[in-house]
Amino acid sequence: MKISDIEKGLNLAEIGDEMHRLIADLYPICRSITGNGVRETLAMLKTRIPLEVHEVPSGTRVFDWTVPKEWNITDAYIKNDEGERIVDFRKSNLHVVSYSVPVKARLRLNELKEHVFTLPEHPDWIPYRTSYYKENWGFCLSHSQWLGLKDGEYDVCIDSRFDEGHLSYGEYYLKGERPEEVLLSCHVCHPSLSNDNLSGIALVAFIAKYLSQLSLRYSYRFLFIPGTIGSITWLSLNEAHALRIKHGLVVAGVGDPGKSTYKKSRRGDAEIDKAAIRALRDSGSDYEIQEFSPYGYDERQFCSPGFNLPVGAFMRTPHGRYPEYHTSADNPSFVQPQSLADSFAKCLSVLNILENNRTYQNQNPKCEPQLGKRGLYRTIGGSKDVKLNELAMLWVLNLSDGNHTLLDIADRSGLEFGLIKDASDILLERGLLREDPG
Ligand SMILES: [Zn+2]
């Protein structure tokens, strides 16, 4: 079976619910760029897809970077004079700045202030903060809680540790007919945040699971990696191999209620760019296309000039453009099963286009072949569908000169990719087309 065979029969409502359940299961885990939270997450994904977990030692040089020490945290709190935990890591892992150094101290409120982060514009939300590459510690609180703290002394404790450990990442390679690969990558380093990026993790895991049951033209590589340092590490360890990546998507923020967004690769006109834009256009729903910029997720590394891989970013509302972004309001109720299912369906249609995009040679290029005698042309005026199919056949015949892919023909004709593909199948069957060997 191929992607196109399963596309129509998918129970999207069920898929959206299942993806949402996975998000809710992964939500409580305290993840960071290294540490046991990532391992626990990968172990849960391993029950669904045959993920290989890689462990890269701290101190490993990866291009201009170094794999950091492994960070783990068991507890953290701020206690008031009565010994009550007024801020408790066990209630929300967002309370602690990720990669905080250990601390145990008694501080006055104005000393504590230096290490407290709040969001005055959303006084009930806890912000998400990190300090990966600079030694620091801190707490994140809702602004209203901070304003309610009385002057006095507080016991603060962050029970974290840094070890010469590992950076963990997950990889699943699915072999297709051809050695060229399609890459799907997502970041797994955020703690209790749902859209960014448990939604991306769920989408990549579900796509992997579905594709593993199908026969595929391309091989597929699925990466579950910590943001930035994870993609740099993977590229550094797989430098020669990266050339096999023919198309790629970085997947993040695919569960919010906003419309789908595709951010182009650095090349801007790669096949993945055309396929993603075509799939969103053909979906009939509203969408947004962004040009490449060297700001965002791991496409920054995949599209760095030394690699310049054809990798775009697949998302809904871009990061930073929704107020819940990087706050405690990005919880499981912020991500919608319908949005997750819609992102799943759209991602699948991008891949379906890639799988089916071919270049053909018209076998009868001197004037149009007579379609009527081959039973391909109506003799009596037909319905709109018949006309569209005929138009698609004429476009395919006209542009199949070895220089246009089916995707190019869809773009030039303004017809849906599915129509162009179906027309090419019929013409191929009747011997009017042959696949271009180039
Ligand atoms: Zn983020």
Side-chain angles (χ1 to χ4, degrees), residues 187 190 196 297 325-326:
H187 61 277
H190 287 30
D196 180 21
Y297 294 110
Y325 172 73
H326 280 188

Side-chain angles (χ1 to χ4, degrees), residues 26-95:
L26 293 170
Y27 182 72
I29 301 172
C30 181
R31 281 162 292 266
S32 186
I33 52 173
T34 63
N36 292 327
V38 175
R39 286 190 193 99
E40 213 181 309
T41 302
L42 297 176
M44 277 171 75
L45 295 174
K46 218 174 160 173
T47 63
R48 294 163 178 268
I49 46 173
L51 212 57
E52 198 183 328
V53 177
H54 299 266
E55 298 278 356
V56 183
S58 305
T60 304
R61 282 303 300 268
V62 287
F63 298 120
D64 199 37
W65 299 59
T66 306
V67 172
K69 285 188 178 169
E70 183 177 325
W71 182 75
N72 282 292
I73 178 164
T74 40
D75 195 12
Y77 57 81
I78 301 175
K79 277 183 187 170
N80 64 12
D81 275 348
E82 283 89 64
E84 288 170 308
R85 283 175 176 243
I86 52 161
V87 174
D88 191 350
F89 169 77
R90 295 176 306 193
K91 287 193 181 143
S92 169
N93 54 42
L94 296 179
H95 278 314

Side-chain angles (χ1 to χ4, degrees), residues 15 52 73 91 141 143 159 165 194 232 241 266 269 273 295 310 385 404 406 420:
I15 292 169
E52 198 183 328
I73 178 164
K91 287 193 181 143
L141 273 67
H143 196 64
D159 188 5
S194 294
I232 293 171
H241 190 98
R266 180 178 183 269
D269 63 348
D273 300 319
Y295 188 70
D385 281 359
H404 297 87
L406 294 183
I420 296 294

Side-chain angles (χ1 to χ4, degrees), residues 215-231:
S215 63
L216 300 160
R217 179 160 75 125
Y218 288 114
S219 296
Y220 284 77
R221 190 169 299 275
F222 304 93
L223 292 180
F224 298 85
I225 52 179
T228 308
I229 189 69
S231 51

Side-chain angles (χ1 to χ4, degrees), residues 11-27:
N11 184 342
L12 286 177
E14 201 174 289
I15 292 169
D17 286 340
E18 278 180 42
M19 286 171 75
H20 195 269
R21 223 168 300 140
L22 174 61
I23 289 171
D25 289 346
L26 293 170
Y27 182 72

